[in-house]
PDB file of all heavy atoms in Angstrom:
ATOM      1  N   GLN K  20      62.433 -58.836  18.448  1.00  0.00           N
ATOM      2  CA  GLN K  20      62.928 -58.311  17.177  1.00  0.00           C
ATOM      3  C   GLN K  20      62.654 -56.848  17.058  1.00  0.00           C
ATOM      4  O   GLN K  20      63.515 -56.087  16.554  1.00  0.00           O
ATOM      5  CB  GLN K  20      62.160 -59.052  16.000  1.00  0.00           C
ATOM      6  CG  GLN K  20      62.587 -60.546  15.876  1.00  0.00           C
ATOM      7  CD  GLN K  20      61.658 -61.269  14.907  1.00  0.00           C
ATOM      8  OE1 GLN K  20      60.561 -60.856  14.618  1.00  0.00           O
ATOM      9  NE2 GLN K  20      62.184 -62.348  14.372  1.00  0.00           N
ATOM     10  N   GLY K  38      67.263 -69.314  12.283  1.00  0.00           N
ATOM     11  CA  GLY K  38      65.874 -69.080  11.894  1.00  0.00           C
ATOM     12  C   GLY K  38      65.100 -68.304  12.834  1.00  0.00           C
ATOM     13  O   GLY K  38      63.871 -68.293  12.766  1.00  0.00           O
ATOM     14  N   GLY K  40      65.105 -65.047  13.005  1.00  0.00           N
ATOM     15  CA  GLY K  40      64.767 -63.771  12.443  1.00  0.00           C
ATOM     16  C   GLY K  40      65.858 -62.711  12.649  1.00  0.00           C
ATOM     17  O   GLY K  40      65.574 -61.474  12.676  1.00  0.00           O
ATOM     18  N   LYS K  41      67.079 -63.144  12.705  1.00  0.00           N
ATOM     19  CA  LYS K  41      68.195 -62.070  12.930  1.00  0.00           C
ATOM     20  C   LYS K  41      68.361 -61.247  11.696  1.00  0.00           C
ATOM     21  O   LYS K  41      68.373 -60.045  11.764  1.00  0.00           O
ATOM     22  CB  LYS K  41      69.504 -62.837  13.198  1.00  0.00           C
ATOM     23  CG  LYS K  41      69.590 -63.700  14.408  1.00  0.00           C
ATOM     24  CD  LYS K  41      70.938 -64.290  14.635  1.00  0.00           C
ATOM     25  CE  LYS K  41      71.314 -65.359  13.682  1.00  0.00           C
ATOM     26  NZ  LYS K  41      70.504 -66.492  13.591  1.00  0.00           N
ATOM     27  N   THR K  42      68.379 -61.952  10.516  1.00  0.00           N
ATOM     28  CA  THR K  42      68.571 -61.188   9.291  1.00  0.00           C
ATOM     29  C   THR K  42      67.385 -60.246   9.111  1.00  0.00           C
ATOM     30  O   THR K  42      67.465 -59.101   8.609  1.00  0.00           O
ATOM     31  CB  THR K  42      68.779 -62.178   8.136  1.00  0.00           C
ATOM     32  OG1 THR K  42      69.988 -62.994   8.497  1.00  0.00           O
ATOM     33  CG2 THR K  42      69.103 -61.455   6.872  1.00  0.00           C
ATOM     34  N   ARG K  43      66.203 -60.860   9.365  1.00  0.00           N
ATOM     35  CA  ARG K  43      64.945 -60.082   9.218  1.00  0.00           C
ATOM     36  C   ARG K  43      64.961 -58.831  10.143  1.00  0.00           C
ATOM     37  O   ARG K  43      64.686 -57.738   9.716  1.00  0.00           O
ATOM     38  CB  ARG K  43      63.812 -60.952   9.548  1.00  0.00           C
ATOM     39  CG  ARG K  43      62.456 -60.234   9.339  1.00  0.00           C
ATOM     40  CD  ARG K  43      61.359 -61.307   9.588  1.00  0.00           C
ATOM     41  NE  ARG K  43      60.124 -60.730   9.801  1.00  0.00           N
ATOM     42  CZ  ARG K  43      58.984 -61.024   9.013  1.00  0.00           C
ATOM     43  NH1 ARG K  43      59.167 -61.774   7.955  1.00  0.00           N
ATOM     44  NH2 ARG K  43      57.824 -60.509   9.345  1.00  0.00           N
ATOM     45  N   GLN K 259      76.552 -71.574  14.853  1.00  0.00           N
ATOM     46  CA  GLN K 259      76.708 -71.740  13.398  1.00  0.00           C
ATOM     47  C   GLN K 259      78.078 -71.248  12.922  1.00  0.00           C
ATOM     48  O   GLN K 259      78.281 -70.873  11.703  1.00  0.00           O
ATOM     49  CB  GLN K 259      75.656 -70.872  12.695  1.00  0.00           C
ATOM     50  CG  GLN K 259      74.226 -71.421  12.939  1.00  0.00           C
ATOM     51  CD  GLN K 259      73.231 -70.656  12.117  1.00  0.00           C
ATOM     52  OE1 GLN K 259      73.126 -70.835  10.901  1.00  0.00           O
ATOM     53  NE2 GLN K 259      72.423 -69.851  12.789  1.00  0.00           N
ATOM     54  N   ARG K 292      61.402 -70.264  11.164  1.00  0.00           N
ATOM     55  CA  ARG K 292      61.694 -70.865   9.901  1.00  0.00           C
ATOM     56  C   ARG K 292      61.128 -72.341   9.847  1.00  0.00           C
ATOM     57  O   ARG K 292      60.479 -72.681   8.867  1.00  0.00           O
ATOM     58  CB  ARG K 292      63.158 -70.907   9.623  1.00  0.00           C
ATOM     59  CG  ARG K 292      63.457 -71.681   8.388  1.00  0.00           C
ATOM     60  CD  ARG K 292      64.946 -71.664   8.155  1.00  0.00           C
ATOM     61  NE  ARG K 292      65.481 -70.326   7.859  1.00  0.00           N
ATOM     62  CZ  ARG K 292      66.683 -69.888   8.344  1.00  0.00           C
ATOM     63  NH1 ARG K 292      67.421 -70.673   9.003  1.00  0.00           N
ATOM     64  NH2 ARG K 292      67.033 -68.618   8.051  1.00  0.00           N
ATOM     65  N   GLU K 507      67.406 -70.596   3.193  1.00  0.00           N
ATOM     66  CA  GLU K 507      66.337 -71.538   3.641  1.00  0.00           C
ATOM     67  C   GLU K 507      65.557 -72.011   2.436  1.00  0.00           C
ATOM     68  O   GLU K 507      65.487 -71.394   1.408  1.00  0.00           O
ATOM     69  CB  GLU K 507      65.412 -70.780   4.646  1.00  0.00           C
ATOM     70  CG  GLU K 507      64.714 -69.551   4.037  1.00  0.00           C
ATOM     71  CD  GLU K 507      63.914 -68.789   5.077  1.00  0.00           C
ATOM     72  OE1 GLU K 507      64.119 -68.901   6.276  1.00  0.00           O
ATOM     73  OE2 GLU K 507      63.011 -68.045   4.653  1.00  0.00           O
ATOM     74  N   ARG K 545      68.354 -75.346   7.788  1.00  0.00           N
ATOM     75  CA  ARG K 545      67.964 -74.646   6.510  1.00  0.00           C
ATOM     76  C   ARG K 545      66.559 -75.057   6.036  1.00  0.00           C
ATOM     77  O   ARG K 545      66.001 -74.400   5.193  1.00  0.00           O
ATOM     78  CB  ARG K 545      68.956 -75.030   5.357  1.00  0.00           C
ATOM     79  CG  ARG K 545      70.381 -74.623   5.452  1.00  0.00           C
ATOM     80  CD  ARG K 545      70.602 -73.179   5.892  1.00  0.00           C
ATOM     81  NE  ARG K 545      70.773 -73.094   7.270  1.00  0.00           N
ATOM     82  CZ  ARG K 545      70.553 -71.948   7.939  1.00  0.00           C
ATOM     83  NH1 ARG K 545      70.198 -70.871   7.363  1.00  0.00           N
ATOM     84  NH2 ARG K 545      70.726 -71.929   9.243  1.00  0.00           N
TER      85      ARG K 545
HETATM   86  P1  LIG W 801      70.044 -67.804  10.209  1.00  0.00           P
HETATM   87  O1  LIG W 801      70.645 -68.049  11.568  1.00  0.00           O
HETATM   88  O2  LIG W 801      69.818 -69.170   9.493  1.00  0.00           O
HETATM   89  O3  LIG W 801      70.736 -66.846   9.462  1.00  0.00           O
HETATM   90  P2  LIG W 801      68.028 -65.846  10.859  1.00  0.00           P
HETATM   91  O4  LIG W 801      68.025 -65.821  12.382  1.00  0.00           O
HETATM   92  O5  LIG W 801      68.763 -64.833  10.178  1.00  0.00           O
HETATM   93  O6  LIG W 801      68.499 -67.310  10.468  1.00  0.00           O
HETATM   94  P3  LIG W 801      65.903 -65.145   9.190  1.00  0.00           P
HETATM   95  O7  LIG W 801      66.420 -65.652   7.948  1.00  0.00           O
HETATM   96  O8  LIG W 801      65.879 -63.667   9.405  1.00  0.00           O
HETATM   97  O9  LIG W 801      66.520 -65.894  10.464  1.00  0.00           O
HETATM   98  O10 LIG W 801      64.350 -65.618   9.395  1.00  0.00           O
HETATM   99  C1  LIG W 801      63.961 -66.993   9.206  1.00  0.00           C
HETATM  100  C2  LIG W 801      62.675 -67.114   8.602  1.00  0.00           C
HETATM  101  O11 LIG W 801      61.628 -66.767   9.562  1.00  0.00           O
HETATM  102  C3  LIG W 801      62.444 -66.183   7.427  1.00  0.00           C
HETATM  103  O12 LIG W 801      61.644 -66.845   6.444  1.00  0.00           O
HETATM  104  C4  LIG W 801      61.747 -65.007   8.046  1.00  0.00           C
HETATM  105  O13 LIG W 801      60.952 -64.287   7.065  1.00  0.00           O
HETATM  106  C5  LIG W 801      60.924 -65.702   9.040  1.00  0.00           C
HETATM  107  N1  LIG W 801      60.526 -64.819  10.181  1.00  0.00           N
HETATM  108  C6  LIG W 801      61.436 -64.198  11.049  1.00  0.00           C
HETATM  109  N2  LIG W 801      60.791 -63.508  12.005  1.00  0.00           N
HETATM  110  C7  LIG W 801      59.447 -63.526  11.724  1.00  0.00           C
HETATM  111  C8  LIG W 801      58.351 -63.032  12.345  1.00  0.00           C
HETATM  112  N3  LIG W 801      58.409 -62.202  13.407  1.00  0.00           N
HETATM  113  N4  LIG W 801      57.146 -63.331  11.784  1.00  0.00           N
HETATM  114  C9  LIG W 801      57.049 -64.123  10.734  1.00  0.00           C
HETATM  115  N5  LIG W 801      58.101 -64.706  10.081  1.00  0.00           N
HETATM  116  C10 LIG W 801      59.341 -64.423  10.637  1.00  0.00           C
END
Side-chain angles (χ1 to χ4, degrees):
Q20 291 171 337
K41 297 184 293 297
T42 304
R43 183 173 163 120
Q259 293 187 70
R292 175 180 296 142
E507 59 187 20
R545 298 310 96 200

